[in-house]
């Protein structure tokens, strides 16, 4: 009996789908790309590489590129142009032609690296020595790489503040400070927050109608100025212009003459205030003083009958803050001839008298909302000398 041998059919090989092949190739490409990217970024983020790149850009004298390398963000006073001016003033930037760099040892090399950089000019002078500091910051780049950043402390004056009189136009480096920078200050001042400025010399200008331009220079080292203003301009630093001074002195002299003319003619305070601008808050007090002057010296039995002012000599003081405005005091010395009527009593015969005299009066003017007004005058309170017997 013959056995039949059964033959097994060969198994067919399973083909890998095209999509799987493509995915596999893609994974290989991604892995290779990531490896290249990883080693490239690791090299680029090495602190020595960053220090070398910084010095290379610094020596190129391209302040726009240096501005970006140092991580500055543009602001009102922080621009590549102002960085260039700061470097030129403090480091004589344009004269630098060579350098040498040495890394310091660090107690915490994982978080801070320091480099000493000596810069020289063509004459082998040493205009600038820099300690370049790199700090390892958070978060990491792409969650993988150290994030080394240049410490810019020596270059920046941070959190800068200026205090100036209210109502004034204030400029820093010819840039007008805006209301967005302003915050409430004292009763007579406004505080401006400037943000950051580059270290070096900065100009401060204060302008206001009727006052001379105030101008000064401020030198700033790198550091944080949050605890103190860079500069405080007080009202007393503002000097009135010669034209304003002459106007106020003449106004004070005319006021003294008008007080006696109106009083002797029996006119009201309203007539007087039509000619002279009187501060509203002082009106009632001045009106009362004017009426008291008339009652005591014009309407009395022995009374003043006339005043001829022969001469005036006025001087003005410095401006100062008062009642939320600016004030200037004018001191006026006057010589005059005073006529009076003396009522007879006892051994004193009734009749007219005349005498020469001199008096000193002080008139205070306030400056508010761009205009001057009379706030007070001792001419209302202290009558000129006249004979009473």
């Amino acid at each position: 009996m013959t056995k039949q041998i059964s033959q097994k059919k060969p198994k067919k090989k399973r083909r890998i789908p095209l999509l799987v092949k493509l995915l596999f190739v893609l994974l290989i490409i991604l892995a290779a790309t990531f490896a290249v990217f990883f080693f490239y970024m690791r090299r680029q983020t090495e602190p020595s590489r960053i220090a070398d790149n910084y010095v290379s850009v610094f020596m190129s004298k391209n302040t726009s590129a240096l501005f970006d390398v140092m991580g500055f963000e543009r602001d009102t006073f922080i621009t590549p142009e102002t960085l260039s001016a700061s470097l030129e003033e403090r480091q004589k930037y344009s004269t630098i032609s060579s350098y040498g760099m040495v890394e310091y040892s660090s107690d915490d090399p994982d978080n801070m690296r320091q480099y000493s950089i000596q810069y020289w000019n063509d004459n082998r002078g040493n205009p600038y020595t820099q300690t370049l500091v790199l700090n390892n910051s958070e978060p990491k780049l792409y969650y993988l790489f150290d994030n080394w950043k240049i410490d810019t402390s020596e270059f920046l004056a941070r959190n800068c503040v200026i205090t100036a009189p209210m109502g004034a136009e204030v400029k820093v480096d010819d840039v007008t400070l805006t209301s967005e920078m302003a915050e409430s200050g004292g009763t007579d001042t406004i505080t401006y927050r400037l943000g950051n400025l580059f270290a070096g010399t900065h100009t401060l200008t204060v302008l206001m109608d009727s006052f001379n331009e105030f101008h000064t220079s401020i030198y700033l080292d790198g550091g944080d100025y949050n605890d103190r203003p860079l500069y405080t301009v007080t009202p007393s630093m503002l000097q009135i212009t010669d034209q304003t001074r002459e106007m106020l002195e003449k106004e004070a002299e005319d006021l003294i003459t008008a007080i006696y003319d109106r009083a002797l003619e029996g006119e009201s305070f309203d007539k007087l205030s039509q000619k002279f601008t009187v501060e509203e808050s002082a009106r009632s007090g001045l009106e009362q003083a004017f009426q008291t002057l008339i009652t005591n010296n014009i309407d009395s039995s022995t009374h003043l009958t006339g005043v001829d002012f022969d001469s005036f000599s006025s001087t003005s003081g410095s401006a100062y803050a008062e009642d939320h405005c600016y004030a200037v005091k004018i001191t006026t010395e006057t010589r005059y001839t005073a006529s009076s009527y003396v009522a007879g009593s006892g051994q004193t015969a009734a009749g007219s008298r005349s005498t020469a005299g001199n008096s000193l009066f002080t008139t205070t003017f306030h400056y508010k909302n761009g205009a001057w007004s009379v706030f007070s005058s001792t001419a209302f309170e202290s009558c000129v000398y006249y004979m009473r017997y």
Side-chain angles (χ1 to χ4, degrees), residues 126-140:
N126 178 217
Y128 178 38
T129 298
Q130 179 184 11
T131 299
L132 177 66
V133 178
L134 303 181
N135 295 310
N136 198 356
S137 306
E138 294 292 341
K140 287 182 175 292

Side-chain angles (χ1 to χ4, degrees), residues 194-215:
L194 313 182
N196 299 336
L197 282 76
F198 283 118
T201 301
H202 298 271
T203 60
L204 171 63
T205 305
V206 179
L207 303 166
M208 190 157 57
D209 290 342
S210 297
F211 294 85
N212 290 318
E213 176 182 302
F214 177 87
H215 186 85

Side-chain angles (χ1 to χ4, degrees), residues 242-300:
D242 290 341
Q243 182 179 3
T244 301
R245 187 185 308 278
E246 292 171 4
M247 181 271 292
L248 292 178
E249 289 176 358
K250 181 67 166 57
E251 189 84 348
E253 294 166 5
D254 289 347
L255 175 65
I256 293 167
T257 301
I259 287 172
Y260 287 92
D261 286 348
R262 298 293 182 271
L264 289 165
E265 290 171 8
E267 294 182 351
S268 68
F269 180 81
D270 287 340
K271 284 282 188 180
L272 185 66
S273 63
Q274 287 174 7
K275 183 177 180 182
F276 299 90
T277 303
V278 175
E279 185 167 318
E280 199 58 39
S281 65
R283 173 177 290 275
S284 62
L286 293 178
E287 185 173 8
Q288 184 177 351
F290 181 69
Q291 190 56 51
T292 300
L293 179 73
I294 293 174
T295 300
N296 293 341
N297 299 282
I298 308 298
D299 293 342
S300 56

